[in-house]
């Protein structure tokens, strides 16, 4: 049973998972697309069951190359991190055409203590449905859940090495197409700026939370500006488009509750919307009712807010936990009756519909049983692998048997 790995999360997690599978008798293949991929999963492997190669052709040649590779090596499963990257979108199409199972990894829906592993796709492509949710016993706090501490420093280190390796080996992968900026100097500057801003906001915002939660407010958690969730699962071209729609609707509503935007921590060094928000607030005459914050405690904001407006951030799942009403403006697997408010945004400001908390806890139990694995890609690797590897093998075995049955029928 051959398994193919494409691009993984920053760091050596895919190498560690591949080694676990190889040790269990799987034939494992890996295709690298740039020097960063190759650094964390070398083309030269010392395990007899692991084989890695570099793809150095043009993006136009990728579909034919992958189709041939899958046939020649009898690939049964393809594993990727993030299903919306160019190479992974093409891979999904090829897998569907050839009857190969496509597994997608992503950051956990239930953060910060989980990672996501799903068959066929994640987020807007997730196959999660409400089937049998009512048969699940409500779970508010998972028994035995292991806390995952901050891994901000590990991410900085992994990202730095990845982009530096990408630069040093760019001569080999000259035709590579990255899903974001691939300039190591720019990315390094952004991470340095992110670290500086983190400490700056920690000082500047030390007393802001207390002032915010003392009066009614709506909470708007912003997302990463070039996230696939925005590009492929929302009606917005930019975060500014979303902010603009929210602020104009809020201004028209005339509700007394304030409006609080929070910057995404992983976008801290790349973007800043302060000037845009201030300018638009002045134009709309609501500058005294709008706040833009960066590193305030999200659970506290969710606990005390009147409601949450989001494009499709999984912060909504945390909002359900805190019984906060949620209005989704994009495409999200959790945008369903009894969980989110399906009124218009204009109506939401005036009368946000409450979450069915019991149903939300049943949904949480369902998620815990469908694709959520307690762990992290960036820390507690051994612990994560212990939970993930048998789960992945079970999915592989069941999906393979279903495929074989359908083919024989």
């Amino acid at each position: 049973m051959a398994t193919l790995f494409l691009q993984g999360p920053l760091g050596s997690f895919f190498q560690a998972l591949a080694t676990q599978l190889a040790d269990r008798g799987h034939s494992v293949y890996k295709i690298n697309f740039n020097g960063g991929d190759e650094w964390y999963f070398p083309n030269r492997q010392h395990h007899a069951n692991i084989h890695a190669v570099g793809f150095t052709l043009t993006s136009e040649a990728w579909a034919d190359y992958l189709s041939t590779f899958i046939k020649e090596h009898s690939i049964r499963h393809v594993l990727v991190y993030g299903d919306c990257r160019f190479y992974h979108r093409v891979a999904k199409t090829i897998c569907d055409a050839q009857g190969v199972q496509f597994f997608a990894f992503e950051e956990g829906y239930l953060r910060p203590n989980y990672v996501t592993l799903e068959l066929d796709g994640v987020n807007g492509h997730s196959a999660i449905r409400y089937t049998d949710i009512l048969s699940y016993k409500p779970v508010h706090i998972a028994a035995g859940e292991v806390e995952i501490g901050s891994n901000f420093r590990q991410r900085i280190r992994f990202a730095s090495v990845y982009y530096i390796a990408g630069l040093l080996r760019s001569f080999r992968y000259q035709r590579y197409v990255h899903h974001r900026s691939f300039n190591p100097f720019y990315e390094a500057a952004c991470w340095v700026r992110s670290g500086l801003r983190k400490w700056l906001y920690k000082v500047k915002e030390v007393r802001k939370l207390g002032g915010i939660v003392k009066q009614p407010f709506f909470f708007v958690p912003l997302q990463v500006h070039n996230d696939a969730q925005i590009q492929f699962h929302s009606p917005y071209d930019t975060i500014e488009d979303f902010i603009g729609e929210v602020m104009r609707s809020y201004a028209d509503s005339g509700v007394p509750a304030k409006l609080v935007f929070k910057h995404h921590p992983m976008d801290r060094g790349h973007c800043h919307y302060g000037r845009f928000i201030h300018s638009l607030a002045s134009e709309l005459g609501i500058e005294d009712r709008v706040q833009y914050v960066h590193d305030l405690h999200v659970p506290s904001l969710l606990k005390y807010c009147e409601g949450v407006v989001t494009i499709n951030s999984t912060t909504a799942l945390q909002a359900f936990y805190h019984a906060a009403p949620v209005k989704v403006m994009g495409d999200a697997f959790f945008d369903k009756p009894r969980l989110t408010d399906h009124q218009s945004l204009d109506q939401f400001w005036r009368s946000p519909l409450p979450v069915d908390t019991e149903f939300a806890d049943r949904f949480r139990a369902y998620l815990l049983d469908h694709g959520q694995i307690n762990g992290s890609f960036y820390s507690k690797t051994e612990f994560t692998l212990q939970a993930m590897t048998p789960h992945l093998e079970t999915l592989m075995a069941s999906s393979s048997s279903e495929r074989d049955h359908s083919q024989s029928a």
Side-chain angles (χ1 to χ4, degrees):
M1 181 162 54
T3 299
L4 173 63
F5 285 70
L6 299 183
Q7 287 189 307
L10 290 173
S12 56
F13 185 83
F14 260 22
Q15 173 73 77
L17 179 58
T19 301
Q20 284 262 11
L21 293 176
D23 288 342
R24 291 169 177 248
H26 294 255
S27 293
V28 177
Y29 293 85
K30 173 70 163 70
I31 297 178
N32 292 317
F33 299 88
N34 62 61
D37 290 346
E38 188 178 336
W39 176 267
Y40 285 114
F41 203 121
N43 289 343
R44 292 184 179 182
Q45 291 284 320
H46 300 291
H47 198 298
N49 288 346
I50 302 179
H51 315 275
V53 298
F55 176 75
T56 59
L57 304 177
T58 64
S59 58
E60 290 78 11
W62 169 235
D64 289 340
Y65 176 91
L66 179 62
S67 181
T68 301
F69 191 97
I70 287 174
K71 292 175 182 177
E72 288 184 348
H73 299 286
S74 301
I75 301 297
R76 302 287 296 275
H77 309 98
V78 171
L79 276 60
V80 308
Y81 174 79
D83 60 3
C84 288
R85 299 180 183 187
F86 165 76
Y87 298 100
H88 296 169
R89 298 200 311 272
V90 173
K92 179 62 166 65
T93 301
I94 300 298
C95 287
D96 288 345
Q98 297 193 18
V100 173
Q101 299 300 326
F102 180 88
F103 292 92
F105 293 83
E106 187 56 270
E107 302 298 333
Y109 295 149
L110 302 176
R111 299 184 192 179
N113 298 327
Y114 292 86
V115 297
T116 297
L117 166 60
E118 286 199 77
L119 177 64
D120 290 331
V122 293
N123 294 317
H125 295 145
S126 173
I128 290 175
R129 297 293 183 266
Y130 278 171
T131 306
D132 295 329
I133 280 184
L134 291 178
S135 68
Y136 280 82
K137 294 182 179 179
V139 172
H140 198 59
I141 300 177
E145 181 176 306
V146 173
E147 291 287 331
I148 303 299
S150 173
N151 48 40
F152 182 71
R153 291 183 179 179
Q154 290 97 314
R155 290 186 182 222
I156 291 178
R157 179 166 56 85
F158 289 153
S160 299
V161 172
Y162 185 83
Y163 284 101
I164 291 171
L167 174 65
L168 295 178
R169 300 182 186 183
S170 59
F171 66 91
R172 173 170 166 77
Y173 299 96
Q174 298 180 32
R175 302 177 180 89
Y176 172 62
V177 177
H178 199 54
H179 54 287
R180 295 176 181 171
S181 166
F182 203 56
N183 184 316
F185 302 107
Y186 170 74
E187 290 299 320
C190 287
W191 280 101
V192 170
R193 183 164 54 193
S194 177
L196 293 174
R197 283 178 173 174
K198 179 180 176 66
W199 289 106
L200 175 64
Y201 298 139
K202 188 174 183 179
V203 174
K204 289 181 64 176
E205 298 182 346
V206 66
R207 296 181 180 177
K208 273 192 175 182
L209 182 62
I212 289 174
V213 301
K214 286 180 180 178
Q215 51 193 320
F217 69 96
F218 285 92
F219 178 42
V220 185
L222 300 179
Q223 295 170 237
V224 176
H225 75 283
N226 55 5
D227 196 316
Q229 284 279 74
I230 309 302
Q231 297 177 38
F232 298 98
H233 303 304
S234 89
Y236 305 104
D237 292 327
T238 67
I239 296 295
E240 286 91 344
D241 291 340
F242 167 66
I243 293 173
E245 180 176 351
V246 169
M247 290 183 66
R248 291 184 179 91
S249 174
Y250 168 78
D252 290 341
S253 74
V255 295
K258 293 195 173 184
L259 186 63
V260 177
F261 289 96
K262 183 187 178 299
H263 201 87
H264 195 288
M266 297 306 295
D267 218 17
R268 191 189 293 113
H270 291 77
C271 299
H272 196 286
Y273 303 108
R275 184 175 298 175
F276 175 79
I277 290 174
H278 177 74
S279 175
L280 184 56
S282 297
E283 177 186 324
L284 297 172
I286 55 174
E287 56 263 60
D288 60 334
R289 295 160 53 202
V290 178
Q291 282 191 264
Y292 174 52
V293 300
H294 299 265
D295 280 271
L296 297 188
H297 190 237
V298 171
S300 295
L301 293 169
L302 293 172
K303 181 178 180 179
Y304 292 103
C305 71
E306 300 293 303
V308 176
V309 180
T310 179
I311 299 176
N312 46 26
S313 170
T314 51
T315 299
L317 299 176
Q318 298 179 53
F320 302 154
Y321 180 89
H322 292 281
V326 175
K327 175 62 184 173
V328 173
M329 303 296 288
D331 180 23
F333 67 86
F334 50 79
D335 187 21
K336 301 294 181 183
R338 302 175 71 174
L339 290 179
T340 59
D341 192 329
H342 286 201
Q343 301 179 96
S344 69
L345 180 59
D346 293 343
Q347 293 171 314
F348 180 75
W349 303 119
R350 299 182 180 91
S351 56
L353 297 179
V355 178
D356 183 332
T357 54
E358 180 180 305
F359 188 74
D361 282 349
R362 292 184 189 276
F363 185 60
R364 187 177 185 86
Y366 177 78
L367 287 178
L368 289 168
D369 197 38
H370 289 77
Q372 296 304 288
I373 298 170
N374 192 191
S376 170
F377 297 122
Y378 315 104
S379 59
K380 296 186 183 295
T381 302
E382 290 301 320
F383 167 76
T384 308
L385 289 174
Q386 286 176 8
M388 179 176 291
T389 305
H391 177 68
L392 177 58
E393 286 188 310
T394 299
L395 287 176
M396 287 177 168
S398 60
S399 60
S400 294
S401 62
E402 288 175 6
R403 188 188 72 163
D404 293 342
H405 176 74
S406 64
Q407 288 179 341
S408 63

